[in-house]
Amino acid sequence: MIDISFQMASAPTVPLGQRRPMAVYANAFDVTQIPVKAYEQYDAVMTPDVESVRWRHRIVERLQNHEAPRVFRLCLFDGKSILYSAAPLDLPDGTSGNYTLVVPGKGRVTVKVARVAGETVTFDDLKKFLTGKISDQTPKVSVALNLLQFIIRQAPNLKYPNNGRAYFTSGGSKDLRGGLQLFRGFFQSVRPAIGRVLVNVDISAAAMYKPGPFVDVALEVLNIRANARALSFKKHSKEWNILSQFFRNVLVEIKLPKKTVTKKIVGLVEAAGRFPFTQESEDGSSLPTTVEEYYRKTYNIRLAFPDIIGIELSRGSGKNTVIPAEICTVAAGQRYNRKLPQNMTSMMVDFSKFRPEKRLEMIVGQKGDRVQPPTLEYATSPYIQDAGMEISEKPITIQGQLLKAPTIFYGKKQSADVNNGAWNITRQHLHSPEIIRAWAVVDYSLRLDQNVIKAFMDTLEQCCTARGMCVKAKPSYKRGNGVGSVDRDIKEACALALVSAGAPRGYNKPPEVVLVILPQSAADIRQDVKRAGDVTLGVSTQCVREDNIAKFSGRQLDQYCNNIAIKINARLTGVNSIPSSPAYDWLTKEDFMFFGADVGHPGPGVQNKPSVASVVFSYDRHGVKYSATSRVQQPRQERIGELGPMVYDAITRYGKVNGKAPRRLMFFRDGLSEGEYAGVGELEFQDIKEAVRRVWAEVKLNDPPPLITYLIVGKRHHVRFFPTNPQDGDRKSGNVQAGFVASEGIANPIAKDFYLLSHGGILGTSRPAHYIVLKDEIFNFDIRPIQEVAYTLCHAYISATRSVSIPAPVYYADKVCARAEYHFDASLRYIDSDGATVASSSSCGKQSFNLSQWRSGYAQTHSSMLARMFFA
């Protein structure tokens, strides 16, 4: 239950900017008939446990179509351990029964099916919930919604690789190289709305292990163009570690003369053909042999490459089996669940990118499409038909509004015209430009001539001056030595800059900024630069890539240098611009603070790295200057464990800067899922309240405590909007225009929420942000001013001259989490993927985690950087 509490008797009168009505399509489809049947629930426990969701689905499919079709026909399976049936199952023992079948990679698996005592699942409470007769999403309502998910997903999940929420097919697949390929598919999810149930359908994509001979795939992973002999690696070599991590828990098919068996890889073995072991003979004696000799005598298979690596398979009881790599084939249909390398991530983005009209066409589908969307199969799905459920084939139309863009004020009382989320600063003076008294260049480039660098720095200086900044000295220049010497390079560059600027002897403040020129691929150097600047030395750094310096000229170079100039000004505590709208101006008339908060988690499957929580907060009267703080906490813990102390520090810092306390706090929380609204959201709101009480008590303030609005900003959803009229879309991208906001027709029945498309789309289909207002003491749940304030803050991101997809404080919090890698001691190997312990899905129990070790190895931001927006 979400507690929506009201502090004021009525909402304040808040002035609002202009907005006009606009209709759009949404990728959601009406459930025109909710099922009428009641369902029985059963437990389905598999022994031994089967970790793979796809194999669990396959086992249920075998029960339905081969082993016991009369018993299990049209059962619904949740992918874990629950079965639903619209009719009582005819089980051997009445309410329970055991079924044994052979599963590739597992051998014999017994499925114990037992009726769960309790009421049958009906949809009566769901119908009452949708019509407002029940105000809370009760357990019965939640179970009914989950059952609807299983009904729509069951047919495709039994046929295709899936992750439960989306399924993927090989139609239109793309080769990624590196042992991977991309599959397209469809996401589908049932969502309640006011008075209706919707099915959200979207395009999805997944990385898959490439099927084929193990040897060929391994060579491709290592990018080796040679034959199998190249795979004769020693244990723990670089290549060994890459392949061990890549193939861990992957299923392979082992081809023997009379059968093919499927097994899971648990490790690698060097020179597998020479691997010695003891073989038991028929008379009970034991004889020493090797893998090569065993396969020759037992299967008449002569190994061509006995000296290359082999694979190790789990056999239970602590014993493992060694298999030659050359007789193994990577099984088809396996999803790659780990983080993709950077070069593959960009290919995944390109693969998933479609113009809005094309995306909607793929979702709605047409008869004869190579990959049929689920929308065309709902009418023929036996599970949907059996349930008596009906789903429209046409996407819904949403009635929303287009908000007027805020005004962007620059210096000299100038303002910029915003066009679909973008504006130009070419003729603008920054609102509060800063002074550069001394600055330095550290050059790590591989190909740039010093004359090219000098010309670039001259252009950058001209752009800084044109924007109103005062540059009092030429930058000093130092040639950097690379990884391992970055701290020393920056220290020496700072000293040279002060000498060049004529600083008096004994002056020990660092120069305003150190500009670092990086090679095209230099993640290690950049990490060292940011750690040195943000943590160790306390000096602002700005990185630029040599390829950008080399390729830009004329207007493009001016634009590039203008973008760098506004970043530098902000990092020197200057103000680039100030956004303004009626609701925003009303909110900021009182003393206020904007907060953004996020938790960054380690990659999928990584269990020996912590999560990092960040909080950013504004401390100026315009809401554009921010400071940041961060903490280390348990892996995958979503609640910010030290939120109270972090908010306490933020309010205390605000008081020191402004000499007074804030009257309004607007808190934007990134990343919470629907299941965490009531739990995590409520607890964090109380943490904020407690931090306020602590400050007021310690300072002995007589002023009333600030009003607090706490809202969640969601990005990980699949709702998309499409223009119903091409004239309402952006002419270049075809997306709905920036400023579109919608709540009616798609709103959550138990929370005040809305979708806001705040940025102009460039490529692909723009994703709106989803805002859920959990607590609102400022506007008393009038979401119109909240929409306008959120939209205005999307124009306040200091590093851009276009609106962004989420409010600036949320964006900053996300970036602070991403920069956590610069704060950890190098000995902890936080960034090193080889140092990550990737847990298999078969891991049992909770692994121990030494949080104190990570906390002690996490350095906080240098004190001189706290007022500087180093993270933007």
Side-chain angles (χ1 to χ4, degrees):
M1 176 180 175
I2 299 176
D3 174 26
I4 299 179
S5 54
F6 294 80
Q7 175 164 319
M8 297 172 284
S10 59
T13 302
V14 181
L16 297 173
Q18 296 177 6
R19 51 178 71 194
R20 66 176 177 85
M22 178 184 286
V24 300
Y25 294 124
N27 58 334
F29 300 80
D30 258 317
V31 176
T32 55
Q33 177 62 57
I34 293 176
V36 295
K37 290 187 175 181
Y39 282 77
E40 307 281 343
Q41 181 177 333
Y42 295 81
D43 282 335
V45 179
M46 299 179 187
T47 307
D49 184 33
V50 178
E51 301 90 3
S52 166
V53 174
R54 190 180 184 196
W55 277 109
R56 288 199 291 267
H57 275 293
R58 283 187 177 182
I59 290 170
V60 172
E61 188 270 336
R62 289 273 299 278
L63 290 174
Q64 289 179 325
N65 297 327
H66 303 286
E67 304 292 333
R70 292 184 179 179
V71 177
F72 294 102
R73 192 183 77 85
L74 297 180
C75 276
L76 301 165
F77 182 51
D78 73 341
K80 297 177 182 177
S81 62
I82 297 177
L83 280 173
Y84 291 97
S85 176
L89 299 183
D90 184 15
L91 299 172
D93 298 330
T95 59
S96 65
N98 293 338
Y99 298 85
T100 301
L101 56 163
V102 177
V103 178
K106 275 293 180 183
R108 295 171 67 86
V109 173
T110 298
V111 184
K112 182 177 181 179
V113 180
R115 170 82 167 85
V116 176
E119 297 181 9
T120 57
V121 180
T122 71
F123 298 91
D124 295 339
D125 280 22
L126 173 60
K127 294 174 183 176
K128 294 177 182 177
F129 174 66
L130 297 174
T131 56
K133 294 179 180 178
I134 296 177
S135 59
D136 298 329
Q137 187 167 319
T138 63
K140 287 185 178 182
V141 173
S142 297
V143 170
L145 287 169
N146 283 335
L147 186 50
L148 291 181
Q149 307 279 21
F150 304 146
I151 292 172
I152 67 166
R153 293 170 177 169
Q154 191 72 14
N157 283 358
L158 290 175
K159 290 171 57 179
Y160 303 112
N162 66 85
N163 62 8
R165 298 173 301 166
Y167 64 90
F168 310 97
T169 76
S170 58
S173 62
K174 179 182 178 63
D175 187 357
L176 272 180
R177 303 295 299 169
L180 298 175
Q181 57 187 357
L182 294 176
F183 276 21
R184 286 204 176 96
F186 293 95
F187 166 91
Q188 47 184 343
S189 176
V190 173
R191 300 185 59 83
I194 297 175
R196 71 206 303 191
V197 175
L198 302 173
V199 180
N200 179 205
V201 180
D202 195 21
I203 303 299
S204 191
M208 311 289 293
Y209 287 97
K210 186 180 294 184
F214 178 92
V215 168
D216 294 349
V217 177
L219 289 170
E220 186 176 299
V221 170
L222 297 173
N223 194 25
I224 293 176
R225 297 179 181 273
N227 65 19
R229 289 186 177 85
L231 297 177
S232 54
F233 304 118
K234 293 295 183 182
K235 192 173 185 178
H236 300 314
S237 65
K238 178 183 177 182
E239 294 83 359
W240 174 285
N241 290 336
I242 291 172
L243 293 180
S244 293
Q245 189 172 19
F246 183 85
F247 285 111
R248 188 180 291 121
N249 296 329
V250 171
L251 293 174
V252 289
E253 296 172 348
I254 303 164
K255 296 185 177 181
L256 301 174
K258 294 183 179 180
K259 61 179 179 178
T260 298
V261 296
T262 303
K263 296 287 185 179
K264 183 174 68 177
I265 299 175
V266 299
L268 301 181
V269 177
E270 60 179 304
R274 314 296 185 193
F275 185 83
F277 68 99
T278 301
Q279 182 182 9
E280 293 184 3
S281 61
E282 294 181 358
D283 61 5
S285 60
S286 298
L287 296 174
T289 187
T290 64
V291 168
E292 180 182 25
E293 186 177 2
Y294 171 80
Y295 274 87
R296 179 174 56 81
K297 290 182 177 180
T298 307
Y299 300 111
N300 195 29
I301 295 176
R302 296 181 180 274
L303 298 184
F305 309 105
D307 295 316
I308 70 171
I309 59 172
I311 62 177
E312 194 173 15
L313 309 175
S314 176
R315 198 175 63 177
S317 304
K319 298 178 182 179
N320 287 354
T321 302
V322 175
I323 307 292
E326 61 190 87
I327 67 168
C328 297
T329 299
V330 178
Q334 299 183 78
R335 288 191 308 111
Y336 181 82
N337 293 322
R338 297 169 195 158
K339 185 178 180 181
L340 286 172
Q342 185 59 45
N343 63 318
M344 291 186 180
T345 300
S346 60
M347 294 174 70
M348 168 72 97
V349 172
D350 290 339
F351 182 74
S352 308
K353 199 162 45 186
F354 295 99
R355 283 182 61 89
E357 62 272 19
K358 177 62 177 177
R359 192 183 199 98
L360 185 59
E361 178 185 303
M362 293 173 69
I363 291 169
V364 175
Q366 295 179 359
K367 300 293 184 184
D369 286 352
R370 181 166 54 169
V371 180
Q372 290 282 295
T375 49
L376 290 182
E377 299 187 346
Y378 289 146
T380 58
S381 166
Y383 301 94
I384 294 176
Q385 288 178 337
D386 183 62
M389 183 178 179
E390 295 179 4
I391 303 169
S392 172
E393 292 186 356
K394 295 182 178 180
I396 63 172
T397 300
I398 296 294
Q399 299 295 331
Q401 296 172 315
L402 189 68
L403 306 183
K404 181 183 178 182
T407 302
I408 310 298
F409 285 109
Y410 282 91
K412 299 183 177 180
K413 298 182 179 180
Q414 297 173 321
S415 63
D417 294 326
V418 180
N419 181 17
N420 195 33
W423 61 95
N424 197 318
I425 65 162
T426 302
R427 299 181 181 179
Q428 304 287 0
H429 271 238
L430 300 180
H431 187 276
S432 302
E434 281 295 318
I435 300 172
I436 297 178
R437 298 175 179 84
W439 54 334
V441 175
V442 178
D443 178 18
Y444 294 108
S445 67
L446 301 178
R447 297 182 297 274
L448 287 184
D449 183 89
Q450 280 200 39
N451 290 329
V452 175
I453 295 173
K454 183 180 183 304
F456 168 75
M457 293 305 297
D458 287 344
T459 303
L460 177 58
E461 180 181 341
Q462 292 167 10
C463 287
C464 289
T465 303
R467 303 286 74 76
M469 299 174 68
C470 179
V471 183
K472 291 193 171 184
K474 292 290 183 181
S476 64
Y477 173 86
K478 173 173 174 54
R479 177 67 192 175
N481 295 312
V483 176
S485 66
V486 170
D487 263 39
R488 184 173 66 253
D489 291 342
I490 293 180
K491 283 181 182 178
E492 292 177 2
C494 289
L496 289 172
L498 295 179
V499 171
S500 177
R505 182 174 296 178
Y507 184 85
N508 58 2
K509 289 185 178 180
E512 273 67 34
V513 64
V514 175
L515 190 133
V516 181
I517 303 174
L518 299 176
Q520 188 167 350
S521 298
D524 291 345
I525 299 177
R526 187 177 190 277
Q527 175 193 347
D528 290 348
V529 167
K530 292 305 179 183
R531 180 175 176 83
D534 299 352
V535 179
T536 309
L537 305 177
V539 58
S540 294
T541 57
Q542 175 63 52
C543 294
V544 295
R545 278 180 19 189
E546 66 172 326
D547 53 316
N548 287 332
I549 294 176
K551 73 181 179 182
F552 290 137
S553 62
R555 291 182 61 183
Q556 283 187 319
L557 181 61
D558 285 346
Q559 184 177 354
Y560 182 60
C561 287
N562 273 324
N563 290 338
I564 295 173
I566 63 177
K567 289 183 179 181
I568 291 174
N569 189 62
R571 290 173 184 176
L572 304 186
T573 71
V575 175
N576 293 337
S577 61
I578 295 172
S580 172
S581 67
Y584 187 89
D585 296 346
W586 176 89
L587 175 69
T588 56
K589 278 183 180 178
E590 295 276 1
D591 298 318
F592 71 96
M593 293 177 72
F594 291 127
F595 283 83
D598 191 18
V599 178
H601 299 297
V606 179
Q607 294 196 349
N608 72 332
K609 293 183 180 182
S611 293
V612 176
S614 68
V615 171
V616 302
F617 54 92
S618 65
Y619 61 88
D620 70 313
R621 63 190 180 93
H622 300 298
V624 293
K625 289 186 178 182
Y626 287 80
S627 185
T629 182
S630 58
R631 299 286 192 277
V632 175
Q633 60 187 44
Q634 289 286 343
R636 311 202 181 285
Q637 175 184 311
E638 191 52 60
R639 181 187 175 188
I640 301 177
E642 297 183 67
L643 181 59
M646 295 167 86
V647 173
Y648 169 87
D649 290 345
I651 297 175
T652 302
R653 282 195 221 169
Y654 178 94
K656 289 179 179 179
V657 171
N658 295 281
K660 52 188 174 181
R663 302 291 303 278
R664 294 168 176 164
L665 307 182
M666 197 164 182
F667 197 98
F668 294 88
R669 175 64 157 96
D670 184 22
L672 292 186
S673 63
E674 286 187 22
E676 294 164 330
Y677 294 171
V680 175
E682 178 65 35
L683 291 171
E684 290 189 352
F685 182 75
Q686 295 306 322
D687 289 340
I688 298 168
K689 284 280 194 180
E690 181 56 35
V692 170
R693 282 191 286 267
R694 181 182 165 197
V695 173
W696 258 242
E698 290 184 3
V699 185
K700 296 182 171 56
L701 288 173
N702 294 320
D703 296 334
L707 302 177
I708 303 171
T709 291
Y710 178 104
L711 64 160
I712 295 163
V713 184
K715 300 172 292 185
R716 299 173 189 90
H717 63 82
H718 286 264
V719 173
R720 301 290 187 273
F721 297 132
F722 308 87
T724 56
N725 184 342
Q727 293 180 346
D728 288 335
D730 176 56
R731 285 180 296 176
K732 292 183 179 179
S733 70
N735 277 291
V736 173
Q737 293 180 48
F740 177 78
V741 64
S743 57
E744 295 182 7
I746 202 168
N748 193 307
I750 60 170
K752 284 281 189 178
D753 70 328
F754 59 91
Y755 291 85
L756 172 62
L757 187 61
S758 56
H759 61 297
I762 301 175
L763 297 171
T765 305
S766 299
R767 171 166 39 196
H770 184 204
Y771 296 77
I772 304 94
V773 186
L774 290 192
K775 302 286 181 176
D776 185 21
E777 299 174 346
I778 299 176
F779 305 102
N780 205 32
F781 291 96
D782 181 354
I783 63 171
R784 294 173 303 164
I786 297 176
Q787 292 168 348
E788 189 170 304
V789 171
Y791 185 43
T792 305
L793 282 171
C794 292
H795 294 73
Y797 185 64
I798 57 114
S799 296
T801 55
R802 53 188 316 122
S803 56
V804 290
S805 60
I806 51 178
V810 187
Y811 209 126
Y812 296 147
D814 184 68
K815 297 200 74 170
V816 172
C817 286
R819 294 171 73 96
E821 62 189 45
Y822 309 139
H823 292 253
F824 284 107
D825 188 275
S827 64
L828 293 173
R829 299 176 68 194
Y830 181 82
I831 303 177
D832 188 354
S833 60
D834 291 336
T837 298
V838 181
S840 71
S841 55
S842 62
S843 298
C844 298
K846 189 174 182 179
Q847 294 187 357
S848 60
F849 181 78
N850 188 354
L851 182 60
S852 60
Q853 175 190 16
W854 288 95
R855 282 180 169 168
S856 61
Y858 187 79
Q860 288 294 328
T861 305
H862 195 284
S863 59
S864 67
M865 302 296 288
L866 293 178
R868 299 185 173 207
M869 296 179 66
F870 61 91
F871 43 82

